[in-house]
């Protein structure tokens, strides 16, 4: 039986070219990029070449690209780097949302324990935050607003351009956007005014794991999370992951060059999946159908009353690999915080399935996915707990 991987929001298969590049670099360029000898200087040149390539792919300047270990570090560096900068001050205020990825949401909770005031904004039934709510939450001591670009469970796009326009009138407030699920799926206008920090992670766009980036607008000061040898202009100490950095820049270039075709192809798959799952009445659609509101690569469905781990493992037995909630939260077995915030009850928020597409998927793959979903639901029906 053929297996089908529909969990690209959790992680993506690397490009073959990237696998080859990373392997070659591990064998050829193992010197430390801060070493003074020729091998070290060659490694340093490769790091800076990768930085220039990544910047070009993202529409940024090379000096605006900071390399990190991935999305979680980038988000932590953005939030803590801004809110801890400048030493001890009067209580500072962070505005974020109730549907952020755990690397932002849990960091905000941690910052509350450190004495930072945090406002968690609600979302509407489509999963979008209101720009008016952002404006209403601003206080004299507001230092940072952090809103994700694309939600990792639902694919809903947040109004970051409108929020950026609003915040351009508040020069004392920095705006961070978690773009981990958006890179290569939703256009980024980094040059537009208002966005100061933007996070990305290589393994979400067919690059290697353990490497990511934080775009930081020129002039923005950050308190480093880790002190070290002064790498990344002193904002992120630690030996450069040269194979990962170069592999990420290559994956980023390939991804951005093919974005238009990917969006068209994935929207077609999304429409097909939504239409075909209408024939499975037990499965309820949790996301807007209106395509201007969503990123194309993900569909979220619920089987109310069915435990999520049962759904996932039954589908795995049928050769289908997907997630419930986000990969970082799927083992908690709690109702989805995102779906609860969208106004869904605990049963619906608990029995959710996240189906996310990749470059390898075609229409016939969705046909087979729906066939196996139907077979799985038919087997689970007798086990359904009363609602």
């Amino acid at each position: 039986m053929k297996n089908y991987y529909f969990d690209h929001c959790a992680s993506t298969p690397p490009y073959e070219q990237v696998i080859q590049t990373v392997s070659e670099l591990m064998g050829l360029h193992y010197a430390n990029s801060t070493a003074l000898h020729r091998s070290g200087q060659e490694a340093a040149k490769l790091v800076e070449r990768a930085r220039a390539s990544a910047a070009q792919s993202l529409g940024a300047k090379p000096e605006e690209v900071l390399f990190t270990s991935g999305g979680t570090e980038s988000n932590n560096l953005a939030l803590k780097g801004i809110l801890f900068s400048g030493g001890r001050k009067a209580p500072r205020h962070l505005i974020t949302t109730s549907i952020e990825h755990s690397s932002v949401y849990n960091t905000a909770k941690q910052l509350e324990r450190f004495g930072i005031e945090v406002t968690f904004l609600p979302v509407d039934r489509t999963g979008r935050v209101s720009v008016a709510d952002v404006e209403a939450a601003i206080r004299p001591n507001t230092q940072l607003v952090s809103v994700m670009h694309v939600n990792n469970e639902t694919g809903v796009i947040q109004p970051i351009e409108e929020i950026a326009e609003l915040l351009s009138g508040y020069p004392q407030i920095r705006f961070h956007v978690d773009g981990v699920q958006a890179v290569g799926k939703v256009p980024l206008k980094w040059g537009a005014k208002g966005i100061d920090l933007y996070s990305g992670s290589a393994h979400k766009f067919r690059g290697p794991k353990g490497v990511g980036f934080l775009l930081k607008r020129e002039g923005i000061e950050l308190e480093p999370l880790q002190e070290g040898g002064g790498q990344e202009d002193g904002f992120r100490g630690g030996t450069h992951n040269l194979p990962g950095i170069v592999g990420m820049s290559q994956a980023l270039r390939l991804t951005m060059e093919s974005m238009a075709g990917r969006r068209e192809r994935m929207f077609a798959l999304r429409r097909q999946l939504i239409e075909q799952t209408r024939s499975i009445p037990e499965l309820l659609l949790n996301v807007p159908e209106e395509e201007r509101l969503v990123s194309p690569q993900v569909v979220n469905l619920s089987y109310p009353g069915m435990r999520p781990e049962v759904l996932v493992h039954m589908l795995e037995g049928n050769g289908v690999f997907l997630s419930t909630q986000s990969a970082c939260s799927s083992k908690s077995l709690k109702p989805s915080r995102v779906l609860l915030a969208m106004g869904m009850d605990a049963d619906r928020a608990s029995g959710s399935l996240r189906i996310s597409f990749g470059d390898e998927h075609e229409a016939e793959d969705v046909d087979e996915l729906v066939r196996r979903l139907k077979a799985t639901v038919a087997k689970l029906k007798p086990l359904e707990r009363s609602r």
Side-chain angles (χ1 to χ4, degrees):
M1 180 174 63
K2 180 180 177 180
N3 290 331
Y4 290 85
Y5 182 79
F6 284 98
D7 200 16
H8 282 248
C9 280
S11 196
T12 57
Y15 292 103
E16 284 298 326
Q17 303 100 301
V18 170
I19 294 173
Q20 293 171 11
T21 295
V22 170
S23 178
E24 290 173 4
L25 286 170
M26 289 183 72
L28 294 174
H29 294 280
Y30 42 80
N32 192 315
S33 62
T34 59
L36 294 177
H37 50 67
R38 185 175 65 203
S39 291
Q41 294 308 299
E42 288 174 353
K45 288 178 182 178
L46 287 171
V47 169
E48 294 313 311
R49 193 179 302 164
R51 193 187 311 276
S53 175
Q56 184 176 15
S57 296
L58 295 165
K61 302 174 183 177
E63 55 269 26
E64 293 178 320
V65 179
L66 298 181
F67 293 127
T68 69
S69 64
T72 292
E73 184 188 345
S74 294
N75 288 337
N76 271 262
L77 178 56
L79 270 64
K80 295 173 182 174
I82 290 293
L83 290 162
F84 292 161
S85 63
R88 293 184 177 273
K89 296 181 180 178
R92 305 158 197 206
H93 179 227
L94 163 67
I95 299 171
T96 187
T97 81
S98 56
I99 60 161
E100 297 299 308
H101 184 268
S102 57
S103 60
V104 169
Y105 186 85
N106 289 343
T107 298
K109 288 291 188 181
Q110 181 188 39
L111 288 167
E112 281 189 312
R113 298 194 295 272
F114 291 160
I116 305 293
E117 298 172 353
V118 182
T119 297
F120 293 94
L121 297 176
V123 294
D124 62 21
R125 294 193 70 84
T126 69
R128 282 168 60 89
V129 69
S130 162
V131 180
D133 283 350
V134 175
E135 184 171 23
I138 293 174
R139 306 175 187 172
N141 65 335
T142 301
Q143 195 167 1
L144 177 67
V145 174
S146 180
V147 178
M148 67 195 335
H149 198 167
V150 171
N151 184 265
N152 51 293
E153 292 188 35
T154 64
V156 171
I157 300 171
Q158 299 304 316
I160 64 163
E161 292 177 15
E162 294 89 338
I163 295 172
E165 179 66 29
L166 165 69
L167 295 177
S168 66
Y170 296 86
Q172 78 280 12
I173 300 175
R174 302 305 181 201
F175 184 29
H176 165 249
V177 176
D178 173 3
V180 167
Q181 293 294 347
V183 176
K185 288 93 174 176
V186 176
L188 166 65
K189 297 180 180 178
W190 171 248
K193 61 182 178 181
I195 301 177
D196 299 299
L197 300 148
Y198 193 92
S199 302
S201 183
H203 75 107
K204 306 295 188 179
F205 50 83
R206 303 191 64 186
K209 293 181 179 65
V211 60
F213 65 83
L214 178 65
L215 292 182
K216 181 186 73 66
R217 191 174 299 285
E218 286 183 285
I220 301 297
E221 289 300 317
L222 296 174
E223 183 70 20
L225 292 183
Q226 55 194 46
E227 296 289 350
Q231 293 88 348
E232 298 305 288
D233 286 333
F235 292 111
R236 200 270 183 186
T239 302
H240 283 121
N241 173 8
L242 174 61
I245 287 169
V246 175
M248 177 177 69
S249 71
Q250 184 180 34
L252 190 57
R253 176 179 57 81
L254 293 169
T255 294
M256 300 305 279
E257 287 175 351
S258 58
M259 182 168 66
R262 177 180 303 104
R263 282 175 56 80
E264 181 179 345
R265 196 167 57 251
M266 287 186 176
F267 268 129
L269 296 176
R270 184 180 189 273
R271 289 191 292 269
Q272 178 186 351
L273 177 59
I274 290 174
E275 181 59 33
Q276 290 187 5
T277 53
R278 297 190 203 280
S279 64
I280 312 175
E282 292 82 4
L283 298 182
L284 305 180
L285 181 66
N286 294 328
V287 293
E289 290 190 55
E290 192 173 354
E291 292 179 357
R292 69 177 183 84
L293 299 178
V294 295
S295 183
Q297 80 275 20
V298 57
V299 173
N300 192 295
L301 303 164
S302 279
Y303 186 165
M306 187 57 62
R307 291 183 62 82
E309 73 274 20
V310 175
L311 279 167
V312 169
H313 291 310
M314 283 286 288
L315 285 164
E316 179 186 352
N318 280 341
V320 174
F321 299 90
L322 43 75
S323 288
T324 174
Q325 305 182 37
S326 71
C328 297
S329 304
S330 59
K331 294 182 180 179
S332 69
L333 303 184
K334 296 178 181 179
S336 162
R337 169 170 50 81
V338 172
L339 297 183
L340 289 175
M342 292 168 63
M344 299 178 192
D345 62 33
D347 268 358
R348 186 162 175 173
S350 295
S352 64
L353 295 174
R354 183 184 66 177
I355 300 166
S356 47
F357 307 116
D359 288 342
E360 75 272 23
H361 293 133
E362 303 289 347
E364 54 266 30
D365 299 318
V366 174
D367 289 338
E368 185 61 22
L369 168 63
V370 173
R371 190 188 71 78
R372 297 188 191 190
L373 280 171
K374 285 182 178 178
T376 300
V377 169
K379 289 180 181 179
L380 287 173
K381 194 65 176 157
L383 302 177
E384 183 180 344
R385 65 174 183 259
S386 58
R387 292 176 239 172

